[in-house]
Amino acid sequence: MTIHPEIAKILATLPAPDGSPLDPEAMRAGEAAQVPPAEQRQPLHAVVDVTAVTPTGEIPVRIYTPTGAETHGLLVYFHGGAFFLGSLDTHDHVARALARETGHKVISVGYRLAPEAAFPAGLDDCYAVVRWAAEQGENLGWDGADLAIAGDSSGGNFVAAVAAKAQDDGFSRITHQVLFYPSLDLDFDADRYASLRENAEGYGLETAGLAPFNAFYLDGGADPADPLVSPIKRKDLAGLPPALVITAEHDPLRDEGELYGCRLKEAGVDATVSRYKGSNHGFVQNFSWIPEFYRAFEETGEFLNAKAGLDGGTAQ
């Protein structure tokens, strides 16, 4: 299927990469300038900013409560941005949609970013907030049932790595993992996956841009051979939480996400892989206003609430 026409319109306006060095501060400022004012955001029962006090340090989090119910399941969310971009604000609309469609209280993590904070600072923050959420469950109004984790792109990388760290530590409270077009293999050899060539150019995220965009993370000591950096390299996936892996048809990272889902299934993990046709990398953040792509939030709700509607891999 060709790229969705609404996405194509936006892609046609993007300047061609000129090979100039990336400027994290300028790029962050550009993202921040596009965040809509609070009054234009999807309303929820409550949205509050708090500080999670953890052994890793004090970590800013934003908590989204969808309803006035006394208790909710918890969903800890890690935003994307190639480990150096993204914030609580740039992905505020994603967290709001997740809260609305899952019925879970969403805890969005303002983890430390590269290059200012070297590996594994961001990953440690994400894991620490998951442990904090479990420990603070009564204060957070947790129903004691679901403790899910979710993330998009590099946030999906953190989801897989956090699930692995939790298993290795004997922390068994994580009940679900949701990965939106995850970046799971930071070895960017273009011959590793067919999608790196099929979707190399013209769809927003380009294969040639993967190395420079991730360089801020890798140059800080993140080794692509380390399974906590490239979670697809973890040899034993047995016993990990049930997973929903959502991929984009026109995404260089498509095949590594789908391979990870298949490997989870082979390891006996209840895993669903769902490819969204006509979409590109970042569609959950950038194009969820298109009904076909907002469906990803609804599918996540079905997955977390064990409703009918998932068939183990039907593309949307």
Side-chain angles (χ1 to χ4, degrees):
M1 179 177 177
T2 58
I3 196 77
H4 191 285
E6 293 298 326
I7 297 180
K9 289 179 184 178
I10 302 299
L11 293 177
T13 68
L14 300 179
D18 60 8
S20 59
L22 303 179
D23 182 339
E25 291 188 7
M27 295 174 74
R28 291 169 188 163
E31 283 192 331
Q34 298 180 40
V35 175
E39 61 270 18
Q40 295 180 14
R41 302 176 194 175
Q42 187 178 81
L44 293 173
H45 178 72
V47 179
V48 296
D49 288 342
V50 303
T51 299
V53 180
T54 78
T56 299
E58 296 187 353
I59 305 166
V61 300
R62 184 169 295 168
I63 301 176
Y64 302 79
T65 304
T67 71
E70 291 186 3
T71 62
H72 299 82
L74 297 182
L75 171 60
V76 184
Y77 169 65
F78 315 137
H79 67 76
F83 308 100
F84 78 99
L85 294 172
S87 68
L88 295 178
D89 288 330
T90 61
H91 288 66
D92 179 85
H93 62 295
V94 175
R96 288 172 185 265
L98 285 170
R100 176 178 176 179
E101 299 305 330
T102 67
H104 286 48
K105 181 172 289 192
V106 173
I107 303 171
S108 184
V109 183
Y111 59 84
R112 288 171 289 173
L113 301 174
E116 294 86 352
F119 173 84
L123 173 59
D124 285 349
D125 286 353
C126 290
Y127 182 43
V129 171
V130 174
R131 300 290 298 252
W132 172 84
E135 293 165 2
Q136 296 293 317
E138 184 175 351
N139 295 331
L140 292 171
W142 182 28
D143 62 12
D146 288 355
L147 177 54
I149 55 178
D152 58 298
S153 192
S154 55
N157 174 296
F158 282 160
V159 166
V162 165
K165 281 176 67 70
Q167 184 185 61
D168 292 344
D169 287 349
F171 177 72
S172 59
R173 303 305 298 271
I174 299 174
T175 59
H176 305 77
Q177 53 177 322
V178 181
L179 301 85
F180 300 110
Y181 38 83
S183 172
L184 298 173
D185 190 346
L186 272 64
D187 178 348
F188 299 120
D189 179 351
D191 292 323
R192 291 181 67 82
Y193 305 101
S195 60
L196 289 171
R197 292 199 176 279
E198 292 173 11
N199 300 316
E201 296 180 349
Y203 297 112
L205 177 65
E206 300 198 341
T207 298
L210 293 174
F213 264 82
N214 288 276
F216 298 111
Y217 190 55
L218 298 179
D219 290 349
D223 181 357
D226 182 347
L228 290 179
V229 175
S230 297
I232 202 166
K233 296 183 184 295
R234 185 175 175 90
K235 293 181 179 180
D236 185 4
L237 303 181
L240 291 172
L244 172 63
V245 182
I246 288 179
T247 64
E249 180 182 15
H250 300 289
D251 180 2
L253 305 184
R254 182 195 68 208
D255 289 357
E256 62 197 70
E258 294 181 358
L259 175 61
Y260 188 69
C262 290
R263 287 195 57 222
L264 286 170
K265 291 180 184 180
E266 292 169 355
V269 176
D270 181 6
T272 296
V273 178
S274 184
R275 180 191 295 184
Y276 277 62
K277 293 182 178 179
S279 64
N280 67 340
H281 189 85
F283 77 89
V284 167
Q285 179 192 5
N286 299 320
F287 295 105
S288 59
W289 51 271
I290 300 174
E292 301 97 301
F293 301 144
Y294 188 86
R295 169 69 185 141
F297 298 123
E298 298 168 345
E299 187 173 11
T300 300
E302 292 166 359
F303 171 68
L304 296 186
N305 294 298
K307 295 176 181 177
L310 298 183
D311 64 2
T314 297
Q316 302 295 327

